[in-house]
Each structure stands twice: as C-alpha cells, then as structure tokens.
Amino acid sequence: MLLLLPIVVFSQSLVDTLYSVKQELKNATILVDSGYTLKQVISDKQLDFKPGNVLKGAKAYWIRLVVFNAVASEGGFKLNVSPNWNNTLYIYDKQTNRWQSQVSSISTTSNVQEQLGLFSFKVPTGQIDTLYLKANVDVPNLVNDIFKLKFKVMPTSTYREREEYSMLLWFLGLGIISAFFIHNLYIYFSFSDWAIRYYLVIQIGGAFYLTGYLRHFDVFFPMPIYQYSFGHRMYTYDLNLLLEHLGIIAFLYGFVALTRSYLDTKQYLPFQDKLLKYLMWIYILLSFIIMPINVFSFNIEYYTVVYDNIYCMLLILAMLYTCIIAYLRKVKGAGAFLLASLTILVAVLILPINYVFFSKNEEPVFWLPSFVIASQAPFFSIALVSRSKLIQDDLRMSELESKQLAFDLREVGYLNKLNELEMQYMNAEIHAEKERNELLQEKLEINQRELASSTLYAVQKNELLRELKNQIKDLNRTDRYHKAKHMEEITSLLDHHLQLDTDWHSFKIHFEQVHPQFFELLEQKYPNLTQKEVRLYAYFHMKLSHKEIGALLGIDPASVRRAKTRLMKKIDADGLL
C-alpha cells in the first residue's frame, strides 16, 4: 500500500495539468447541418455559426473550434469530443496545403480511443488554429434530441503520461492482488477454510473491477459494444463494462461471505447474518436482471447506475454495522477483522459516494479505485493471518482434547479389560463352585443311598431279630421242661439288643453326612431330650412312616404315634416336624 502513495501524488499533478489544458480551447461555434460540404462550411461567410454548447433538434451539426497553444508542446494534442456517435474532424495540414480528416465512431469500431471520441492534431506553440468537426447524432435508442456538447484538449505527452500512469496503476494493483492471492491460495490448500476461499473471490473480483474501471480489458481482446442510449449525453454498454460489473458482484459477494464466515454470524449474529445474506442476494438478482437487458435489449445503465451505487453504499454500511456489533458483543476474532475491514469499508464506501455526489459526469479519478482494490488485499490478509492463529489455537486445543480423549479411551479400555478379567475370574469361580456343588450333590446322593441302605439294613435286622424272638417263643412253648430257663435268657438278651440297636452309631454318622450338625444343633436347642427321643426325632425328620419307625424301634405303629405326641409336647414345636 505504501507503494501507491507516490502514485497518488503524481495523479493529482496530472489532473491539475489536464484541467489547465482544457482552457486552451478558445471558443466553439455550432452550425446545424443542412447537407453542407466542408468547402461550403469554410468559404461561405453567410452560414450562421452560433456560440453555445447544446445540440438540439437536428441529426447532424458542424462545429468550428478555435484552438490556442499556450503551452510549450510541439508533440500535438488529443481532443476528446462528446457526443461521439459518428464524428469527423477536419484539420488543415500546412505542409500539404490540404484538409485532413479523422473519424471517431463508436458505432463501427471496438477501438477504445475511437470509442472515447479521441482525435489527434498539432498546433505550433503560441499560435491559433481553426478546426472543423462534423457531429452526426442520428442514433438509435434516442431518449431525447438534446445533447450537451463537451470538449477536452490535452497535450499528447500528457495523454501518454496519463495512459502510462493508468497502466502503472493497473500493473501495481494487479501485482499486489496477485501476490496476496498466490500466498493465500497456498494457505488455502494447506488447510481448507471458507474464509480464505471468499478472500480469493474478493481478489478475483477486485482484479476484474480494476481492469474494467481502467479500461484495460482491450489489452487482451477487442471490446465490442452491445447497446447504446442517448440522453443529454451518450452511454454505451460494452464487454469491458460487463466484466467490470461482474467484478463488482464478485468483490461484494466475497466481502459479504467473508464477513459472515469470519465472524460466524449465523451462530453469533443471526439478525445481521440474514440482513447481509438477503441484501447480497437481492443485489445479485437485480444485477443479473439488468445486465442481460443492457446486453441484449436496451442500455438502461444511465438510469440504474446511481441506484446501483446507492445500493452498494447500503450493503457496505450493513457490513460495517455487522463488524461493529460483532466487536461490541466480543465475537471471537471480531477485533482483528474490524481493524482490518474498517479501512477497507471506508475506502470502498468512498467509491459510490464519489460517483453519486461528486464525479458522476466528471473525469474519473483513476487512483481511488486502484488504491482501494490494492489496499484491501494486505488488510484482509492481516485479518486472515489473525484468523489462522485463532484456527491454529483451536486446532491445538482440539489436539489436546483429542489426546485427553484418547487417554480416557485407553483408560476405559484398560478398565474394560480389567472388568473382563474379573468377569472371567468370577465365571471361573462360579464354574468351580458349580463343580464343587455337583461333587457335593453326588456325595449327598451317595450318603443318602448309604443312609437308606443302612436304614433298610436296620429294618431287616430288627425284622430278623423279631422273627428269631418269635421262633424262640415257639420253641419255649414246645420244650418247656428242659430248656425253659435257657430260652428265657436268650429272649432277654435279644430284647436288650433290639432296644439298644448297636448300629445307631453307624446310622448317626451317615445321617450327619446328609444333614451336617443336625444332632449338635438339636442338642443345643433342646438339651433335655433323651437318646431315644433324639433318635425318634431324626426318624421323623427323614419323613419315615410310623410303621417304618416302629420296625426300627421294635414297637408297633400305635406306640410310635404316642411317642410322637409326647415328643411334640416336650419340645413345644408345632409345625416343626
């Protein structure tokens, strides 16, 4: 941007020179053409040339120009005439003593100089010369037949300096734009960010606008004119102007999109986001309605250009308003963006203000658009650098969070593995316990079978003893005299063994294998029970029938029932058995 400062100072000196040269046109008189030839116009003193600067009511005019060269310029002059639909300038060549003609017609050329109505002529220093110009205004799309005649004269050297200066501004502006475009394009490919993409759109739009404004698209290809319109002055719509308008659309769209993306207005400033979005889309819609009309139908640029600039002012103010609100609400990155965009927005705002209120019909200010377009590149680049730092900080924070998350996930994985091992251990314990239970169940079943066998054996033994007792009784009855005393002793011994049941100890061992600590707990709870009552209680606990218990004890079932009743009363345990 500092490189543009000497160019701006130089441009002011050129403008001053241009306006001083304009005063060298001493006077201009006008004659309505009635089919006159050049010879008649020059020689017929009866033709009434009238002073003035308004062309009204006719299709062609003769204009007599008196030029005085008050500057030391031997290189000639450039004459710009408006309107310039189809003009012919006649200059007297003193070397050949003949009148030479030059034609400038926008209706038949794509040459920029001829479109601008430029002629070249020479007048010696300190001398006066007379020029004749035939202006044909029989044109299409005529709004009215009143034209304001305008002339501009400048030395050819000044014109060339002006063109060189314009070209220098163009090269310098495009150089700055291109440098920052390439730099940020590299950044964009490094990490894709929508804000950088919109910045690149701004640079492309700015390059198109600057090239069109300085009318340098003709460097690449001819500029065909699409439509004309004529009011108090002549207006053309050519390819150069079309590309300039496309550049403005791209520039503003990129600027609005960059503002919305950079400040994340959709999340933090929803009202301002909708305001910018709808204003931009309305501008794009209207532009793409007007441009085809200008190209294919009728040039309405004269009527819309002021409103176009006013709408651009409104859009720029909306962006400035959004930046300020974002800063006041402390949106992340808003301070850097406001600092970068404030200068750009004010500079861009000057362009439509200058056109609408100051230079609509005056000589264009070449340096202002160049300064604005070229300066926005470094300012926005600074804002993007700040954004890149914010993004890098966010990435570092995200990286730390990712590492923490990865650590947490690993920790969870280890805990899951630990839980899995614990589950495997518990399953193994359960499996082992199951196997132990199965072994205990098998052992219990074996003990139950042994207990049952022992009980059956005891029953069979007691039955045998009972039968033996009965036989002895029978024997005693039949051999009463010889063996009575001996048989009585045998019977007494058998009764004693039947009541004591020498196998009770074995039965008790088997019973406690099936019912551990049964007798110990029973003795603790009912210490007053006799040995026979304990045995009776155990048989009842095994759910033996009265008949089976009687066989084991050597008594009848009725005696068992009576013994049970006595036992129940003694232990006072209703429902326990």
Side-chain angles (χ1 to χ4, degrees):
M1 188 177 66
L2 294 176
L3 295 175
L4 288 175
L5 293 179
I7 305 299
V8 172
V9 175
F10 176 63
S11 70
Q12 186 61 44
S13 65
L14 271 180
V15 172
D16 294 340
T17 303
L18 174 61
Y19 278 92
S20 64
V21 173
K22 285 171 60 178
Q23 306 305 318
E24 301 305 313
L25 185 59
K26 304 298 285 186
N27 60 66
T29 54
I30 302 171
L31 171 68
V32 176
D33 182 35
S34 296
Y36 304 125
T37 64
L38 175 62
K39 186 177 181 179
Q40 287 177 301
V41 171
I42 296 172
S43 59
D44 191 346
K45 304 301 182 181
Q46 301 298 320
L47 297 179
D48 188 15
F49 278 88
K50 296 181 178 180
N53 63 350
V54 177
L55 307 181
K56 180 178 180 181
K59 295 182 178 180
Y61 300 86
W62 284 94
I63 298 125
R64 183 167 57 197
L65 305 172
V66 179
V67 182
F68 172 66
N69 184 1
V71 297
S73 176
E74 298 295 339
F77 294 87
K78 290 287 185 180
L79 172 65
N80 173 249
V81 181
S82 178
N84 57 318
W85 169 251
N86 189 353
N87 298 334
T88 304
L89 180 68
Y90 295 95
I91 307 168
Y92 185 73
D93 187 353
K94 294 181 179 180
Q95 293 181 352
T96 61
N97 293 322
R98 296 182 61 181
W99 286 89
Q100 305 289 337
S101 65
Q102 298 178 30
V103 176
S104 176
S105 174
I106 65 171
S107 61
T108 60
T109 182
S110 61
N111 182 274
V112 173
Q113 289 197 22
E114 293 186 18
Q115 289 178 8
L116 296 176
L118 289 174
F119 298 98
S120 300
F121 66 94
K122 291 184 179 181
V123 177
T125 303
Q127 296 186 21
I128 296 177
D129 200 357
T130 301
L131 312 177
Y132 289 90
L133 176 72
K134 184 177 181 180
N136 182 2
V137 292
D138 185 13
V139 298
N141 299 332
L142 189 63
V143 178
N144 58 63
D145 57 356
I146 301 176
F147 297 93
K148 187 175 181 180
L149 188 62
K150 290 186 177 181
F151 299 97
K152 294 178 184 177
V153 180
M154 72 179 73
T156 302
S157 59
T158 303
Y159 173 79
R160 289 175 181 171
E161 289 176 358
R162 185 167 174 252
E163 289 297 304
E164 291 172 357
Y165 164 70
S166 174
M167 188 65 70
L168 176 62
L169 285 178
W170 181 54
F171 275 118
L172 188 59
L174 285 186
I176 295 174
I177 291 174
S178 300
F180 284 98
F181 180 87
I182 295 172
H183 173 70
N184 285 280
L185 184 64
Y186 171 77
I187 296 176
Y188 174 73
F189 284 121
S190 298
F191 62 98
S192 181
D193 182 20
W194 280 96
I196 299 178
R197 180 181 298 183
Y198 295 135
Y199 171 84
L200 298 177
V201 173
I202 292 174
Q203 305 318 306
I204 294 174
F208 268 72
Y209 170 69
L210 183 61
T211 304
Y213 185 85
L214 298 177
R215 297 196 65 85
H216 286 312
F217 276 115
D218 64 310
V219 173
F220 308 102
F221 40 77
M223 293 288 107
I225 296 176
Y226 298 120
Q227 297 295 334
Y228 319 90
S229 64
F230 299 86
H232 293 290
R233 56 176 294 186
M234 184 183 63
Y235 300 91
T236 61
Y237 196 85
D238 58 5
L239 180 59
N240 186 90
L241 198 55
L242 175 63
L243 295 176
E244 180 185 343
H245 283 181
L246 291 175
I248 293 173
I249 293 173
F251 182 86
L252 291 177
Y253 170 78
F255 205 155
V256 170
L258 176 62
T259 303
R260 294 174 61 202
S261 176
Y262 195 106
L263 300 177
D264 196 7
T265 55
K266 189 173 183 180
Q267 179 179 355
Y268 299 110
L269 305 170
F271 171 76
Q272 288 76 12
D273 180 77
K274 291 181 180 179
L275 176 66
L276 290 178
K277 181 174 68 173
Y278 292 136
L279 284 177
M280 188 66 242
W281 282 113
I282 290 173
Y283 181 75
I284 292 175
L285 178 63
L286 293 176
S287 297
F288 279 96
I289 291 174
I290 293 172
M291 285 191 295
I293 295 175
N294 288 333
V295 173
F296 300 108
S297 179
F298 182 80
N299 183 16
I300 58 174
E301 185 73 9
Y302 172 72
Y303 304 99
T304 61
V305 65
V306 174
Y307 300 105
D308 185 282
N309 279 270
I310 292 175
Y311 195 94
C312 288
M313 292 165 54
L314 178 63
L315 189 57
I316 295 167
L317 289 173
M319 284 188 282
L320 183 60
Y321 162 71
T322 302
C323 293
I324 295 173
I325 293 298
Y327 175 74
L328 294 177
R329 295 186 182 180
K330 302 185 183 305
V331 175
K332 184 166 57 176
F337 189 76
L338 177 62
L339 183 63
S341 62
L342 184 61
T343 303
I344 303 170
L345 287 170
V346 173
V348 173
L349 188 62
I350 291 174
L351 292 177
I353 291 176
N354 178 68
Y355 180 84
V356 173
F357 298 105
F358 300 104
S359 63
K360 178 181 179 182
N361 297 316
E362 298 296 334
E363 190 73 20
V365 182
F366 289 108
W367 65 267
L368 184 57
S370 304
F371 178 79
V372 171
I373 297 302
S375 63
Q376 56 81 26
F379 275 110
F380 273 140
S381 186
I382 293 172
L384 290 178
V385 169
S386 175
R387 177 178 174 84
S388 298
K389 291 182 178 179
L390 290 176
I391 292 176
Q392 290 174 357
D393 292 340
D394 291 340
L395 289 175
R396 282 194 291 269
M397 184 61 66
S398 299
E399 185 178 358
L400 291 175
E401 292 177 353
S402 299
K403 290 181 178 179
Q404 182 63 39
L405 180 60
F407 176 80
D408 293 341
L409 289 175
R410 284 196 297 269
E411 185 179 4
V412 171
Y414 294 146
L415 291 175
N416 289 335
K417 288 182 179 179
L418 181 61
N419 291 333
E420 184 178 350
L421 292 175
E422 290 179 353
M423 289 294 296
Q424 292 176 356
Y425 175 77
M426 292 177 64
N427 289 333
E429 287 290 323
I430 292 173
H431 182 70
E433 184 67 23
K434 183 178 179 181
E435 291 182 347
R436 286 194 296 271
N437 290 336
E438 290 176 352
L439 291 175
L440 290 175
Q441 183 65 27
E442 291 179 359
K443 188 175 181 180
L444 178 63
E445 291 175 356
I446 293 172
N447 289 333
Q448 287 177 340
R449 286 194 296 269
E450 291 179 352
L451 180 61
S453 298
S454 176
T455 303
L456 180 61
Y457 171 75
V459 171
Q460 291 175 347
K461 184 194 71 170
N462 287 340
E463 288 288 338
L464 177 62
L465 292 175
R466 192 177 294 109
E467 180 67 21
L468 181 60
K469 180 181 177 181
N470 291 333
Q471 290 179 1
I472 293 174
K473 285 180 178 181
D474 293 337
L475 181 62
N476 190 29
R477 286 194 298 268
T478 56
D479 196 9
R480 178 177 304 175
Y481 297 103
H482 297 89
K483 301 180 179 178
K485 186 177 180 178
H486 182 68
M487 290 297 103
E488 185 177 353
E489 293 176 357
I490 293 174
T491 300
S492 177
L493 180 62
L494 290 175
D495 286 340
H496 176 72
H497 283 285
L498 185 64
Q499 294 296 327
L500 293 179
D501 193 4
T502 56
D503 291 327
W504 166 247
H505 180 69
S506 176
F507 171 83
K508 190 175 180 181
I509 292 174
H510 290 298
F511 188 90
E512 284 194 335
Q513 287 179 347
V514 179
H515 307 284
Q517 297 182 335
F518 177 83
F519 294 105
E520 181 179 351
L521 295 175
L522 183 64
E523 185 178 357
Q524 291 178 1
K525 192 171 183 179
Y526 306 108
N528 297 323
L529 294 180
T530 64
Q531 189 70 19
K532 287 185 177 181
E533 289 172 340
V534 169
R535 186 173 183 180
L536 181 63
Y537 189 94
Y539 289 152
F540 283 134
H541 187 76
M542 290 178 62
K543 300 185 184 304
L544 297 179
S545 64
H546 293 150
K547 183 179 179 180
E548 292 173 336
I549 296 173
L552 290 170
L553 297 178
I555 59 177
D556 55 52
S559 299
V560 173
R561 283 191 289 272
R562 287 192 296 272
K564 179 180 180 181
T565 302
R566 289 192 299 272
L567 178 61
M568 290 177 61
K569 289 180 180 180
K570 189 173 183 179
I571 65 178
D572 192 23
D574 292 337
L576 182 63
L577 300 178

